[in-house]
Amino acid sequence: YTVVASPAHKAVALEAARKSLVLLKNNNVLPLSISNLTSVAVIGPNANVTDILLGNYAGNPTETISILQGIQSKLIGKSVIYAPGCADQWCTDTNLFNGAFDAAKAAQVIILVMGIRSCPYDSECWIGRAEIEGEQKDRVSLDFPGQQVNLINGISFASRGKPVILVLVNGGALTMPFIDSVDAILEAFYPGEQGGIAVADALFGDYNPGGRLSTTWVKSENDLPPYLSMDMKDRTYKYFMGTPLFPFGFGLSYTNFTYSDLTFNTNSIVPCQPILVRVSVKNTGSRTGDEVIQVYFSLIDRSVPTANVELVAFTRITLNPDQSETVTFNVTPDQMVLVDKTDTLVIEPGSVKVSVGGGQPGFTEVLTSSFTITGTSTPLSQCPN
């Protein structure tokens, strides 16, 4: 442990937890100003636990900091009112609801810490739990477990218009019928041993979250195709035709970024030729922040149906206020392929629409342009390595 739990390694754990945070909603309530706070209620079954933060495949840290502990560390001398709301993550009854409602009524700001959990692979906590997720264990539903949604709605009602912030601890997507009842949502996933500090840093503005979702979050399970269907329609962000709760690549920030000057090194290439995509990004807000620049391609009018959009490149950069940076992406031929009618990976001639921005086109403001692939259809296997 002198090596594994060294200060340097703990710093890496904190950095990883911070960078994984995704800000999903913010009605201008985050970050919280400590100087303006007198009392905060921290409510929820995932607030004062530590094992859940580690997911189901982890070592044994010398110390794991809960989200409640992280918040308390920021609010020295302030009133932090804790109420679990549920006996555990399954939240099978409402016995502890009144205590949570009382905490919400007494506080200036309410922070809910909800979600699901995983278990160690060989743990008995898997048994009989359809809400568990993890290695070799899928959930049967995208809903919150038990009475958690009722608790969230009840807290929103009891808060009487005070800010309600939801922190999620989970691995996979969740549906949110209550989304209009909360003012901000911070996705923490399973953030590890330093997760409590990372979440608190983001809530109180010591860190500006800049993560992005790696999956599409649907509004309802009815938006998904039948599980046994092999049709790609509505599967993954590439083919999803509906309106998601949160799209793939989504994430907010405490600052703003603007994009300009989308250019290519050439407007025409032949199969097997890469292309350079350049774009300038500027932080136009008042806080330092991370931006995840995403490049999407759409192959237009090919011989077979292709994805609506496909992420072909991305990078994460940190910009200070008023700072700009020009970023160049080298997009290689393997990012321009399709599977033709003979089941061969080929690069076909035609137009390629390029969208660049901080998220997926159609859901985020992006810059668009296009280039052309000329020549004849060429198997990827014939391209030089």
Side-chain angles (χ1 to χ4, degrees):
Y1 276 117
T2 56
V3 175
V4 174
S6 66
H9 286 189
K10 289 189 176 184
V12 171
L14 177 58
E15 179 185 14
R18 284 172 164 175
K19 287 190 172 181
S20 69
L21 298 174
V22 182
L23 184 61
L24 296 177
K25 180 178 180 179
N26 187 19
N27 289 345
N28 296 317
V29 298
L30 292 178
L32 296 170
S33 172
I34 294 177
S35 62
N36 293 331
L37 287 176
T38 56
S39 60
V40 172
V42 181
I43 298 169
N46 284 7
N48 195 30
V49 290
T50 55
D51 61 325
I52 290 176
L53 303 183
L54 303 178
N56 84 308
Y57 201 84
N60 298 307
T62 55
E63 179 186 31
T64 302
I65 300 165
S66 73
I67 292 173
L68 174 63
Q69 289 172 319
I71 293 170
Q72 289 172 327
S73 72
K74 299 287 186 183
L75 298 177
I76 304 298
K78 310 282 186 177
S79 174
V80 179
I81 309 165
Y82 166 64
C86 303
D88 52 35
Q89 290 71 40
W90 322 127
C91 203
T92 54
D93 57 56
T94 62
N95 294 340
L96 300 179
F97 275 24
N98 286 338
F101 297 157
D102 290 341
K105 293 174 184 177
Q108 186 180 359
V109 172
I110 298 93
I111 299 173
L112 293 168
V113 189
M114 315 290 282
I116 48 182
R117 70 165 297 157
S118 188
C119 291
Y121 179 69
D122 57 353
S123 169
E124 292 185 359
C125 90
W126 296 104
I127 299 172
R129 293 296 183 185
E131 307 93 339
I132 286 284
E133 64 183 4
E135 186 176 3
Q136 297 187 6
K137 186 70 168 65
D138 291 335
R139 286 180 285 143
V140 300
S141 171
L142 296 181
D143 297 336
F144 280 72
Q147 299 291 322
Q148 284 196 37
V149 169
N150 289 331
L151 176 59
I152 294 169
N153 286 329
I155 292 296
S156 176
F157 180 80
S159 67
R160 297 185 176 93
K162 292 179 285 191
V164 177
I165 299 156
L166 174 63
V167 176
L168 293 175
V169 178
N170 57 295
L174 290 161
T175 56
M176 299 186 194
F178 55 80
I179 190 166
D180 292 333
S181 299
V182 297
D183 298 289
I185 303 173
L186 180 67
E187 172 60 73
F189 298 106
Y190 297 121
E193 63 183 73
Q194 297 292 314
I197 297 298
V199 167
D201 284 346
L203 292 176
F204 297 102
D206 294 322
Y207 180 76
N208 187 351
R212 298 294 193 272
L213 291 181
S214 60
T215 56
T216 300
W217 288 35
V218 295
K219 294 179 179 179
S220 165
E221 294 172 11
N222 295 329
D223 295 333
L224 296 172
Y227 182 76
L228 296 179
S229 171
M230 295 295 103
D231 191 340
M232 286 304 297
K233 183 177 182 295
D234 286 332
R235 291 195 181 279
T236 78
Y237 76 95
K238 298 180 185 180
Y239 301 95
F240 189 73
M241 299 300 293
T243 301
L245 179 66
F246 300 110
F248 170 91
F250 180 78
L252 302 174
S253 174
Y254 296 152
T255 190
N256 300 302
F257 300 92
T258 58
Y259 286 72
S260 62
D261 303 323
L262 173 60
T263 61
F264 314 125
N265 63 319
T266 178
N267 290 321
S268 178
I269 64 171
V270 296
C272 300
Q273 181 181 348
I275 191 166
L276 298 181
V277 179
R278 296 188 181 92
V279 70
S280 294
V281 186
K282 182 177 182 179
N283 182 345
T284 56
S286 60
R287 289 176 175 267
T288 297
D290 287 4
E291 177 69 336
V292 180
I293 305 160
Q294 303 169 46
V295 181
Y296 292 85
F297 278 9
S298 299
L299 305 179
I300 309 300
D301 294 330
R302 294 309 198 264
S303 64
V304 295
T306 57
N308 303 319
V309 294
E310 184 166 359
L311 181 70
V312 297
F314 70 93
T315 192
R316 182 169 179 161
I317 62 173
T318 302
L319 294 176
N320 296 319
D322 292 324
Q323 182 182 3
S324 299
E325 184 171 330
T326 298
V327 180
T328 301
F329 299 92
N330 181 32
V331 184
T332 52
D334 58 298
Q335 299 283 17
M336 308 176 206
V337 299
L338 56 83
V339 179
D340 70 8
K341 294 178 181 179
T342 67
D343 292 335
T344 303
L345 283 173
V346 299
I347 303 167
E348 287 190 351
S351 178
V352 180
K353 180 181 178 181
V354 180
S355 303
V356 182
Q360 188 184 154
F363 308 103
T364 305
E365 185 175 349
V366 297
L367 298 180
T368 60
S369 188
S370 63
F371 67 91
T372 302
I373 301 175
T374 62
T376 60
S377 180
T378 304
L380 181 64
S381 60
Q382 295 183 11
C383 296
N385 292 329

